[in-house]
Amino acid sequence: MSDALAQHIERFVSIPKDDIANIATYFKKLHLKKKENLLAEGKVCNSNYFVENGLLRLFYVKDNGTEQTTHFAMENWWLTDYNSFAAQKPATFNIQAVEKSDVLALSYTAQEKLLREYPILERYFRLIHQRAHAASQFRIRWLYDLSKEQAYNDFCNAYPEFVQRIPQYLLASFLGFTPEYLSEIRAKRKS
Amino acid sequence: MSDALAQHIERFVSIPKDDIANIATYFKKLHLKKKENLLAEGKVCNSNYFVENGLLRLFYVKDNGTEQTTHFAMENWWLTDYNSFAAQKPATFNIQAVEKSDVLALSYTAQEKLLREYPILERYFRLIHQRAHAASQFRIRWLYDLSKEQAYNDFCNAYPEFVQRIPQYLLASFLGFTPEYLSEIRAKRKS
DNA sequence: CGATTTTTTGAATCATATCAACGTACGTGG
DNA sequence: CCACGTACGTTGATATGATTCAAAAAATCG
């Protein structure tokens, strides 16, 4: 499991050292190339993914054919299509590696067994989801509140290293506007 | 506790009948009048609220002074400002009853004790948060995807009874546009 | 180096906001 | 139970932020 996940779990609950090695056996380690796909719309999403390093994105394809990225997940983040994963029904999102990434996959059935064997992890996942829930409340507020230009400025201030890491057209997609408009904002900013 | 919450919990985990009565003691029953406040921006949100009946909304006040509603919670839904509740720091949202409502309040410290006494409820809350997380993924997609007019039409189709239940200016706020524009859409629709 | 991918520019257009004014309705006190 | 006042809903004129499309320029990759 390498240490990233063990450390992450221990930030939320305490686990005896001996259990860690056993818990690791529930996960499958994946090595993804840039642009490699983890999940495609229409398939059942059978795993929840923990990013050890690299970067994933969650996106869907709009009616006009363009891809809309709604979430990124970097080091120490979990990502999956929860509607698909939790109910084991077809996904409405895609998951793709933005960069070369190392990921730990926890399949639905493995998660069930894992939680039965280590109920303390129910707490871990409760806390993870609770944080995600809290984050969505902010995210949603942010989507209501900010003009596209503000969204860009705020995001650049909040995550300057991250902005460096991804191509502009992905950033534009994530922020919910067109690459053309992003160009315009950047031009305005310089002057 | 009345039965609403007990039934809700049992939809997710099984609890011995005897425990139910004891679990109920952790909650405080509140009766709210229309427009009564449960939480104000700036105060620490000390409870998580379960709606037995009635309707709550979560909102914040924008720079221009207008209220932006971001969430509603009706019967059998939990609602709180999770950023404030989970970290016990000042809230950035307000919570208010839209209608006369009956609500069960679970305070932060009561929740801690409750979870220590009944660890099975970690699972209940994990599942609640997981669902909420899944719902946010859809919600966020929906915010990216739909024009204001589509949002209105979709929402009316999806929740016709709910639309009846709330004033139009709240609906407009929730859908992220002005009451004036809502009027325009409705006028267009009739013709 | 050529070929593809990504970013920029500019013009035309559209969705939605803003402001001000007017109409309607509804609930509260007399 | 009526009347009044406040809250809610509508209309129209004007303004603006953001999109679309086409094309050129720049960057990246094999």
Side-chain angles (χ1 to χ4, degrees):
Chain A
M1 167 155 83
S2 91
D3 295 323
L5 178 57
Q7 276 175 32
H8 193 251
I9 292 176
E10 278 166 347
R11 288 226 301 267
F12 296 93
V13 298
S14 349
I15 302 271
K17 275 273 176 282
D18 298 348
D19 291 343
I20 295 288
N22 188 35
I23 289 174
T25 65
Y26 287 82
F27 291 82
K28 191 165 162 191
K29 198 158 195 157
L30 303 178
H31 302 283
L32 303 171
K33 283 185 289 198
K34 187 170 175 172
K35 305 221 171 178
E36 197 169 340
N37 257 69
L38 264 180
L39 171 65
E41 243 170 288
K43 308 227 167 176
V44 172
C45 178
N46 47 36
S47 292
N48 193 358
Y49 301 103
F50 179 83
V51 181
E52 289 191 316
N53 56 68
L55 179 62
L56 303 182
R57 70 183 179 115
L58 185 77
F59 70 96
Y60 65 93
V61 178
K62 297 209 276 190
D63 291 347
N64 67 17
T66 62
E67 298 179 350
Q68 178 62 57
T69 299
T70 63
H71 292 263
F72 288 108
M74 46 188 215
E75 294 80 8
N76 288 327
W77 292 25
W78 286 92
L79 182 69
T80 197
D81 174 340
Y82 282 104
N83 285 286
S84 172
F85 179 72
Q88 290 290 288
K89 63 187 185 197
T92 59
F93 288 94
N94 307 272
I95 299 178
Q96 192 187 54
V98 176
E99 311 170 345
K100 181 167 169 306
S101 305
D102 298 320
V103 164
L104 294 171
L106 179 61
S107 77
Y108 184 77
T109 52
Q111 178 176 299
E112 284 190 316
K113 264 195 256 173
L114 177 63
L115 290 171
R116 238 177 284 127
E117 187 168 4
Y118 300 99
I120 181 73
L121 292 179
E122 291 280 4
R123 181 177 172 86
Y124 168 69
F125 283 108
R126 176 192 49 101
L127 290 167
I128 293 297
H129 284 297
Q130 185 176 286
R131 279 170 111 221
H133 191 169
S136 317
Q137 284 187 341
F138 266 143
R139 173 84 181 280
I140 287 170
R141 175 179 187 147
W142 192 81
L143 286 170
Y144 276 106
D145 223 18
L146 273 51
S147 74
K148 309 290 172 166
E149 188 171 348
Q150 282 175 302
Y152 174 71
N153 289 325
D154 276 28
F155 194 80
C156 287
N157 289 335
Y159 309 102
E161 6 54 47
F162 184 76
V163 171
Q164 305 295 65
R165 216 164 135 180
I166 59 171
Q168 280 189 45
Y169 69 94
L170 267 190
L171 179 59
S173 163
F174 178 71
L175 294 176
F177 49 82
T178 58
E180 291 94 326
Y181 193 57
L182 176 49
S183 258
E184 204 179 315
I185 297 172
R186 286 164 60 90
K188 205 194 292 185
R189 238 191 166 196
K190 269 181 221 148
S191 57
Chain B
M1 168 154 80
S2 90
D3 295 324
L5 178 57
Q7 276 174 33
H8 193 251
I9 293 176
E10 278 167 347
R11 288 226 302 267
F12 296 93
V13 298
S14 349
I15 303 271
K17 274 274 175 283
D18 297 349
D19 291 343
I20 295 287
N22 188 37
I23 289 175
T25 65
Y26 287 84
F27 291 82
K28 190 166 165 192
K29 199 159 193 157
L30 303 179
H31 302 283
L32 303 171
K33 285 186 288 199
K34 188 170 173 173
K35 304 221 170 174
E36 199 170 339
N37 257 70
L38 265 179
L39 170 66
E41 244 170 286
K43 309 226 167 178
V44 172
C45 178
N46 46 36
S47 292
N48 193 358
Y49 301 104
F50 178 82
V51 182
E52 290 191 315
N53 55 68
L55 179 62
L56 305 181
R57 70 182 180 114
L58 185 78
F59 70 97
Y60 65 94
V61 178
K62 298 208 276 190
D63 291 346
N64 66 17
T66 63
E67 297 179 350
Q68 177 62 56
T69 299
T70 63
H71 292 263
F72 288 109
M74 45 187 213
E75 294 80 7
N76 287 326
W77 290 26
W78 287 93
L79 182 69
T80 198
D81 174 341
Y82 282 103
N83 285 288
S84 172
F85 179 73
Q88 289 290 287
K89 62 186 186 198
T92 59
F93 288 95
N94 308 271
I95 299 179
Q96 192 187 53
V98 176
E99 310 170 346
K100 183 168 169 305
S101 306
D102 298 321
V103 165
L104 295 171
L106 178 62
S107 77
Y108 184 77
T109 52
Q111 178 177 299
E112 285 189 316
K113 265 194 256 172
L114 178 62
L115 289 172
R116 236 176 286 126
E117 187 169 2
Y118 300 99
I120 182 74
L121 292 179
E122 291 279 6
R123 181 177 172 85
Y124 168 69
F125 283 109
R126 183 208 19 119
L127 289 166
I128 293 298
H129 283 297
Q130 184 176 287
R131 278 170 111 220
H133 191 169
S136 315
Q137 284 187 342
F138 266 143
R139 173 85 181 281
I140 287 170
R141 175 181 187 145
W142 192 81
L143 286 171
Y144 275 106
D145 222 16
L146 272 53
S147 76
K148 309 291 172 166
E149 188 170 350
Q150 282 176 303
Y152 174 71
N153 288 326
D154 275 28
F155 195 79
C156 287
N157 289 335
Y159 310 102
E161 7 54 48
F162 184 76
V163 170
Q164 306 294 65
R165 214 164 138 180
I166 59 170
Q168 280 188 45
Y169 69 95
L170 269 189
L171 179 59
S173 163
F174 178 71
L175 294 176
F177 48 83
T178 60
E180 291 95 325
Y181 192 58
L182 176 49
S183 260
E184 203 179 316
I185 296 173
R186 285 163 59 90
K188 204 196 291 184
R189 237 191 168 194
K190 271 184 219 143
S191 56

